[in-house]
Amino acid sequence: MTSIGTGEGTPPTRPGEDSERPSQENLTMHDSGDSGYHKTLTARQVQMIAIGGAIGVGLFLGAGKRLAIAGPSLILSYAFCGVIAFFLMRALGELVMHRRSSGSFVSYAREFFGDRWAYFAGWMYMLNWMTSGIAEITAIATYFSRWTSMPQWITALIALAVVLVINLLSAKAFGELEFWAALLKVAALVTFILVATFLVLTQANIGGHQAGLHNLTSPDGFFPNGDMLAFVLVMQGVIFAYATIELVGTAAGETQDAEKVIPKAVRAVIYRIAFFYVGSVFLLACLLPYNMYKGTESPFVTAFGAMGYSWMGDLMNLIVITAALSSCNSGLYSTGRILRSLAFAGEAPRFTGYMNKNGVPAGGILFTASVYCLGVVLNIVMPAHAFEIAVETAAVGIVWTWGTIFACQIALRKRINAGQAAPTSFPMPGAPYTSWMGIIALVGIILIMIADPGANNFNLYVLAAAGGFIAVLAVAWPFVAKKKASNPALQNASEISF
């Protein structure tokens, strides 16, 4: 292992790294960890990564349980969270146009708010993906239980091994898997929307129930039993459905012609949200009474099964397995790059900054995969509750991550307005008010979790666990800061060589 660059000359390029990079004197601390990546992601792949990031198990599996709780009013939950997600993407889009970075929002947090915020942002994002990854492999195991009696933990372990191998190959391999997985998800949802629209318009008989708009108020109203807060109380789970759309910002560092590709991907997100999420939940609510759905099965599988097409239910089950694999794959991709950014600043274990000859941050990916193994353990100990435990805990990390992105956009716009930074070609509309609206909504998600502890104080235990994680980070920070202060290389590093 060689030493960390200290600003004296330009470190030699390792095999597999880009030969074209800024000179050492132009690199600043927030650039750490951005060198060495291969610009191999194409416009085709990035567009589908953006689409795939907006279509995951939060819709394919999570919508079932939330329909059973909130009924047709779940449409409002997805619409509201969709607006926040759109604001988030526009905020991230402006930051990406300001400066591309594979460290994404962690790098921006370092630039605008300093090391401490970047440290917390990076590790809270890890909390998000560590628990999200557990949710994804649990979802895969849950889906497979439709066909096999194999223990959930075995299926979860196999799924983890598959996505780990793909991520270690190259960014191009990741991008290609995401392209085809997203294409499959889109094809499935478009098929569902077309079929469901026809069935609703013709008021077809589905499993003894007549499809139609009347199901929006049957059996006990748009708001189940008149409970007008039901759609609010499920939002901590709905926000999880939109997680990973911020992956576009991380992918920007490895994207060809990002200045053209990223804005196009961001602009399209609102249409995807309206069409795929809100449209699908609306049609699900119209096809069957809400109390026909359940948390242990994808609502799409339930709907197709009720139509009498068991083979379509099996096909949809296969597709939602692909969706979960795709999301888990994205988690390894994203956290590997975030960890490398933290490692270069001395805020994560040094080995997580290791990049292999294929331009892949293998150290960070392997670290995340080892944490995902806890999901395998959770599926052994609590298979029936593993998914919800992971989803609710991930919501805390998502709120912190999205809040950081909004805060960074506000800080960037302040610098632009003060003439300290150049205006971007993709400004966020309505800023800073739209970013503040996003932050207020995210705080509201946490307040909902406090106000609605759930069965056996479930949410309170989740918040306590997340609070414990934050406390550990806070206790560790002075030691991390001391180490950084005693090592000038960590204050000026542009690269770590291994």
Side-chain angles (χ1 to χ4, degrees), residues 248-263:
V248 172
T250 305
E254 296 173 85
T255 300
Q256 302 169 8
D257 201 13
E259 285 70 19
K260 293 182 179 178
V261 172
I262 299 300

Side-chain angles (χ1 to χ4, degrees), residues 235-256:
M235 281 189 186
Q236 69 264 33
V238 173
I239 201 72
F240 172 80
Y242 292 103
T244 75
I245 60 173
E246 72 282 347
L247 184 64
V248 172
T250 305
E254 296 173 85
T255 300
Q256 302 169 8

Side-chain angles (χ1 to χ4, degrees), residues 175-197:
E176 202 60 25
L177 174 63
E178 286 304 290
F179 173 82
W180 291 107
L183 191 63
L184 185 61
K185 288 188 281 187
V186 168
L189 285 180
V190 169
T191 300
F192 168 78
I193 288 171
L194 292 175
V195 171
T197 299

Side-chain angles (χ1 to χ4, degrees), residues 77-226:
S77 302
Y78 274 91
F80 177 80
C81 290
V83 171
I84 303 305
F86 173 67
F87 288 161
L88 175 95
M89 289 299 289
R90 288 305 303 259
L92 185 58
E94 182 167 17
L95 289 166
V96 169
M97 291 301 100
H98 163 65
R99 178 174 59 82
R100 281 192 290 165
S101 172
S102 289
S104 192
F105 60 91
V106 174
S107 180
Y108 303 133
R110 194 176 309 282
E111 177 180 358
F112 297 116
F113 301 111
D115 287 355
R116 182 180 300 179
W117 195 327
Y119 162 80
F120 274 93
W123 281 106
M124 288 302 291
Y125 190 59
M126 284 299 300
L127 174 66
N128 167 15
W129 267 117
M130 286 186 295
T131 50
S132 293
I134 291 171
E136 311 299 350
I137 61 175
T138 299
I140 293 168
T142 301
Y143 299 149
F144 261 104
S145 65
R146 176 182 174 89
W147 301 319
T148 178
S149 58
M150 182 186 299
Q152 279 190 196
W153 70 269
I154 295 178
T155 312
L157 188 61
I158 293 172
L160 175 57
V162 170
V163 294
L164 176 60
V165 170
I166 290 170
N167 260 275
L168 291 176
L169 289 176
S170 67
K172 185 175 182 180
F174 159 80
E176 202 60 25
L177 174 63
E178 286 304 290
F179 173 82
W180 291 107
L183 191 63
L184 185 61
K185 288 188 281 187
V186 168
L189 285 180
V190 169
T191 300
F192 168 78
I193 288 171
L194 292 175
V195 171
T197 299
F198 173 77
L199 294 174
V200 170
L201 291 176
T202 59
Q203 297 190 334
N205 185 289
I206 302 176
H209 300 276
Q210 185 183 40
L213 296 178
H214 63 277
N215 284 321
L216 294 177
T217 55
S218 174
D220 50 17
F222 185 77
F223 300 96
N225 298 312

